[in-house]
Amino acid sequence: MPITPYHYLVLAAALFTIGVIGVMVRRNIIILFMSIELMLNAVNLNLVAFSRLYGHVVGQVFALFIVAVAAAEAAVGLGILLAFYRNKETLNVDEVNLLRG
Amino acid sequence: MLEAVAFYGLAALILGFGLMVVTARSAVHSVVFLVLNFLAVAVAYVVLAAEFLAVIQVLVYAGGIVVLYLFVVMLVNQKRAPEAHHDPHRKSGLGVMLAAAVLAEVTAIVVYTASSSPASVPTPPPAIAGNTEQVGLLLYTDYLIPFEVASMLLLAAMVGAILFARKAQ
């Protein structure tokens, strides 16, 4: 059976699931952020697979935009994380309750 | 045959490193596995004929974002590991089960779609050769305004990150 872009779609779905499990199971905020990066990578893999399937590079252009947004997200998210750590001296998501959420 | 070996080897690497990111005990180990995962994904991009994106992946992710993560891991010193604190209301098993259900569903959709649509759509040959040239042409013609908006987004994120991370006066 030849390898088609559909194989890569299944691979991306599995990678996305690993990221979801990381977000739901771990309590360390840094590892939560890394799981989000895993999910963004899975989406990029999907876009590139479709770009290959349809023989058009527009999927790769969208993947580039996702890379830019991921960089912005990581920078702002880690900045917020540092500010939070300075206030509460912890990295546990269960203790993020300053707004009584 | 060679393609199959490349795909399954890459899939094992990507998923294995992804699992290690999620399961590693210390955050530094997670960051290291994240780099390896990003590099494996970059190789997958090369296999899928997206060479420019592979280079960007190595430069931005493996070179930039991961260094940011490493800095933050070193800036926060964890006297009290987050995993030591246990919340009785947290239902991790349920989360894993839900994620597995989503994976099964998406896989079923892909298999169903793949059986009814062609493996590759016949497309006219591109006007210019070279992956980087094609991406660049599209980025600076049809997607010029999103491209500029992305640069503004990065500028705003940079200012915001500095504002959040510096000590309050």
Side-chain angles (χ1 to χ4, degrees):
Chain A
M1 187 174 166
I3 301 296
T4 59
Y6 297 107
H7 287 76
Y8 284 91
L9 297 190
V10 175
L11 169 64
L15 186 60
F16 189 87
T17 309
I18 290 174
V20 171
I21 289 175
V23 168
M24 291 209 262
V25 172
R26 294 306 297 258
R27 289 186 286 272
N28 189 334
I29 306 181
I30 300 179
I31 294 179
L32 248 67
F33 272 111
M34 285 188 233
S35 303
I36 293 173
E37 299 293 340
L38 285 185
M39 289 195 269
L40 287 168
N41 256 288
V43 173
N44 272 350
L45 206 53
N46 253 344
L47 286 171
V48 175
F50 276 120
S51 155
R52 172 66 175 235
L53 177 63
Y54 290 100
H56 198 284
V57 291
V58 68
Q60 298 173 29
V61 172
F62 270 86
L64 273 179
F65 285 132
I66 290 185
V67 170
V69 172
E73 176 257 348
V76 175
L78 292 174
I80 293 175
L81 194 156
L82 277 182
F84 172 73
Y85 181 78
R86 216 171 277 131
N87 277 326
K88 298 263 294 190
E89 295 276 312
T90 179
L91 286 178
N92 191 333
V93 272
D94 291 337
E95 292 176 46
V96 185
N97 52 6
L98 286 173
L99 289 177
R100 303 270 166 264
Chain B
M1 182 59 202
L2 197 64
E3 212 182 6
V5 172
F7 172 75
Y8 288 112
L10 271 177
L13 281 179
I14 290 173
L15 295 183
F17 288 136
L19 271 179
M20 280 149 128
V21 170
V22 171
T23 55
R25 288 218 157 269
S26 104
V28 180
H29 292 174
S30 268
V31 174
V32 172
F33 289 127
L34 194 67
V35 179
L36 295 172
N37 183 60
F38 286 162
L39 292 178
V41 172
V43 177
Y45 290 162
V46 174
V47 175
L48 284 169
E51 295 91 0
F52 181 67
L53 196 61
V55 173
I56 293 295
Q57 169 95 359
V58 172
L59 282 179
V60 175
Y61 268 118
I65 294 182
V66 164
V67 174
L68 204 63
Y69 276 99
L70 265 184
F71 267 117
V72 172
V73 170
M74 289 171 186
L75 276 176
V76 296
N77 103 46
Q78 300 181 40
K79 289 172 224 131
R80 197 155 59 91
E83 313 291 338
H85 172 273
H86 198 79
D87 185 356
H89 298 300
R90 183 170 267 272
K91 295 185 176 60
S92 298
L94 186 65
V96 173
M97 268 163 51
L98 280 177
V102 171
L103 174 64
E105 196 173 345
V106 173
T107 309
I109 292 171
V110 170
V111 170
Y112 176 74
T113 315
S115 63
S116 60
S117 50
S120 68
V121 182
T123 46
I128 47 170
N131 175 255
T132 309
E133 287 87 341
Q134 290 172 19
V135 172
L137 185 70
L138 215 53
L139 208 53
Y140 284 102
T141 52
D142 290 359
Y143 294 93
L144 183 61
I145 291 181
F147 185 70
E148 297 295 337
V149 171
S151 72
M152 286 307 294
L153 175 75
L154 284 173
L155 178 67
M158 189 171 73
V159 174
I162 293 171
L163 208 67
F164 275 127
R166 71 168 187 183
K167 287 196 172 64
Q169 300 296 321

